[in-house]
Amino acid sequence: MIEDAKTINSINSFHNEENDDTELLIKNNDKELLRNLVGFWLLGLCNNFGYVVMLSAAYDILQEQIHTNTTKSYSTDGFHCNPISTGAVLLADIIPSLIVNWTAPFYINRFSYPLRVAVVIILLTASFLTVSFSTSRFLSLLGVVFASISSGAGEITFLSLSVHFKKTTVSAWSSGTGMAGVCGSLSYAFLRQIGLSSHNTLLVLLVVPALFAFTFWIVLKFPYDIKTKNEYMSHDKQPGCFDKTKQMSFIAKVRLIKPLLKYMVPLFLVYLAEYTINQGLFELLYYDIWLSQASQYRWFQVDYQIGVFISRSSVNLFQIKKVIFPALCQWLVLLFLLLEVYYVFIRSFWITLIVILFEGLLGGTVYVNTFYLIFQEIEEDYREFSMSMANVANINGITIAGFLALPIHNFLCERKRL
């Protein structure tokens, strides 16, 4: 009997230790998941921050260079037209990113993640410094180009990196990029509103590249031990997960694009419409209130980014699978605001803010649901490549929008002169 009791106690002790180990493992996994969710949220915030700031500063960049170069612009009844549309800044902010996004999926996995991230951070820092100390339009746009390459390379890098973590990191990343819009546009608008020059504002915002580096190298907890982590960080995947695209030819990779079109087309359409609005119409939406035209432009950007942040953070609450519908709705918003610029029939700054908030909600909804669907529906062996490739669609939409913004700006400005 005594021996049986000892045996039972021994078994119970073993199970208790096993349960304790299980509970500890669960707690550690929960902490690791939370840490990575915070990490990807911050990475999304930092990665898109510079891109957003450059678009928010677009009006100021052009204005300052106009005064520096004594290029004439014109104004009527408080309304001011720059001789060059902010679409020019959009093109500088997106064309380099377009080149990166089109080409990187075919070669970027040859480089380690730490190297990629280091380049992204260096370029982001260079963009702020170059625009801040610029004395010419060329240097200003060069700084914008640095921000573009940084953002484009970063987006591909972190979307690819997310497939090695829990799928919830995709929504965390998306939410972070949405918050980048809010923080980037709001911080720039606020610092300018309280009297800081654009030069000093950009110098203050250099805290973002530092946070970027801290997040990647300190906050993120990679799901492997140190040895495996080093191998993984040099672009190998978790043992047992074979990335077939690394062994595929260029032509074979191109064939993988066809099944992605159902995700890419809505993404292309929504970004084409919303950036035609943002960089073709925002600077021409002017209301006779206490805010200057430049201030109204900056706050329109803030309003739009708030909508993007809300919708990009929504996928864990509800998911939309037919993303083509919000994409088409965005074109109705474009038509509405185009008519408002042309006929000025609303005459209300606040109603326009509501419309622009809705625009941001539609854009963010399409973005987050598209990449969430890819994560769910694409076979794991091709998921990393697919995430990188699908991102090309929104870059293409933004690029074409930049070109459209130039003639739209010129046409509407000429009409307002009459």
Side-chain angles (χ1 to χ4, degrees), residues 252-273:
K253 287 182 178 180
V254 170
R255 292 195 185 101
L256 291 177
I257 298 175
K258 185 177 180 180
L260 293 175
L261 291 178
K262 67 177 181 178
Y263 308 106
M264 296 173 71
V265 170
L267 202 58
F268 169 80
L269 290 174
V270 78
Y271 272 86
L272 175 58

Side-chain angles (χ1 to χ4, degrees), residues 59-93:
Y59 194 95
D60 291 340
I61 290 172
L62 292 176
Q63 275 290 93
E64 288 175 7
Q65 297 312 321
I66 284 169
H67 294 316
T68 300
N69 299 319
T70 63
T71 303
K72 291 187 178 180
S73 56
Y74 54 83
S75 60
T76 305
D77 298 328
F79 173 81
H80 176 90
C81 254
N82 285 326
I84 299 176
S85 166
T86 55
V89 177
L90 175 62
L91 289 174
D93 210 6

Side-chain angles (χ1 to χ4, degrees), residues 5-19:
K6 287 181 177 180
T7 301
I8 292 172
N9 288 335
S10 177
I11 292 172
N12 288 337
S13 177
F14 172 77
H15 283 302
N16 288 335
E17 289 178 2
E18 190 178 51
N19 289 336

Side-chain angles (χ1 to χ4, degrees), residues 12-44:
N12 288 337
S13 177
F14 172 77
H15 283 302
N16 288 335
E17 289 178 2
E18 190 178 51
N19 289 336
D20 289 342
D21 289 342
T22 302
E23 289 178 7
L24 182 61
L25 181 62
I26 291 172
K27 288 181 180 179
N28 287 337
N29 286 339
D30 288 343
K31 288 180 180 179
E32 182 177 308
L33 176 60
L34 178 60
R35 185 169 166 176
N36 286 332
L37 288 176
V38 171
F40 269 90
W41 191 88
L42 288 172
L43 289 173

Side-chain angles (χ1 to χ4, degrees), residues 38-224:
V38 171
F40 269 90
W41 191 88
L42 288 172
L43 289 173
L45 169 66
C46 296
N47 186 74
N48 284 29
F49 193 92
Y51 169 80
V52 171
V53 165
M54 293 306 162
L55 292 183
S56 297
Y59 194 95
D60 291 340
I61 290 172
L62 292 176
Q63 275 290 93
E64 288 175 7
Q65 297 312 321
I66 284 169
H67 294 316
T68 300
N69 299 319
T70 63
T71 303
K72 291 187 178 180
S73 56
Y74 54 83
S75 60
T76 305
D77 298 328
F79 173 81
H80 176 90
C81 254
N82 285 326
I84 299 176
S85 166
T86 55
V89 177
L90 175 62
L91 289 174
D93 210 6
I94 204 63
I95 288 180
S97 186
L98 173 72
I99 297 171
V100 170
N101 276 268
W102 263 114
T103 59
F106 299 99
Y107 64 76
I108 200 168
N109 60 5
R110 298 177 182 273
F111 303 98
S112 69
Y113 279 108
L115 177 59
R116 296 190 224 174
V117 175
V119 171
V120 166
I121 293 172
I122 290 170
L123 286 171
L124 178 59
T125 305
S127 71
F128 286 152
L129 291 174
T130 303
V131 175
S132 176
F133 291 103
S134 170
T135 56
S136 68
R137 185 177 299 161
F138 171 77
L139 284 177
S140 294
L141 293 180
L142 179 62
V144 175
V145 167
F146 289 153
S148 173
I149 299 173
S150 171
S151 176
E155 190 148 26
I156 283 184
T157 295
F158 295 116
L159 281 172
S160 299
L161 183 63
S162 70
V163 306
H164 300 275
F165 294 79
K166 301 287 186 182
K167 68 179 181 181
T168 47
T169 56
V170 175
S171 58
W173 158 266
S174 179
S175 176
T177 59
M179 181 52 79
V182 177
C183 288
S185 57
L186 185 59
S187 60
Y188 184 82
F190 174 75
L191 291 173
R192 293 288 283 123
Q193 198 73 36
I194 64 175
L196 262 68
S197 67
S198 58
H199 165 83
N200 289 331
T201 296
L202 292 174
L203 291 181
V204 169
L205 296 179
L206 283 172
V207 67
V208 175
L211 176 61
F212 209 159
F214 176 81
T215 301
F216 181 76
W217 276 284
I218 304 299
V219 175
L220 274 192
K221 176 68 175 176
F222 292 87
Y224 317 109

Side-chain angles (χ1 to χ4, degrees), residues 181-182 185-186 282 296-310 349-361:
V182 177
S185 57
L186 185 59
F282 273 9
Q296 288 182 47
Y297 172 84
R298 290 193 289 266
W299 288 110
F300 284 147
Q301 291 283 355
V302 172
D303 184 42
Y304 159 76
Q305 297 295 352
I306 289 173
V308 171
F309 168 67
I310 293 171
F349 175 77
W350 304 106
I351 293 176
T352 300
L353 278 181
I354 294 172
V355 175
I356 291 173
L357 180 69
F358 182 60
E359 176 210 350
L361 290 171

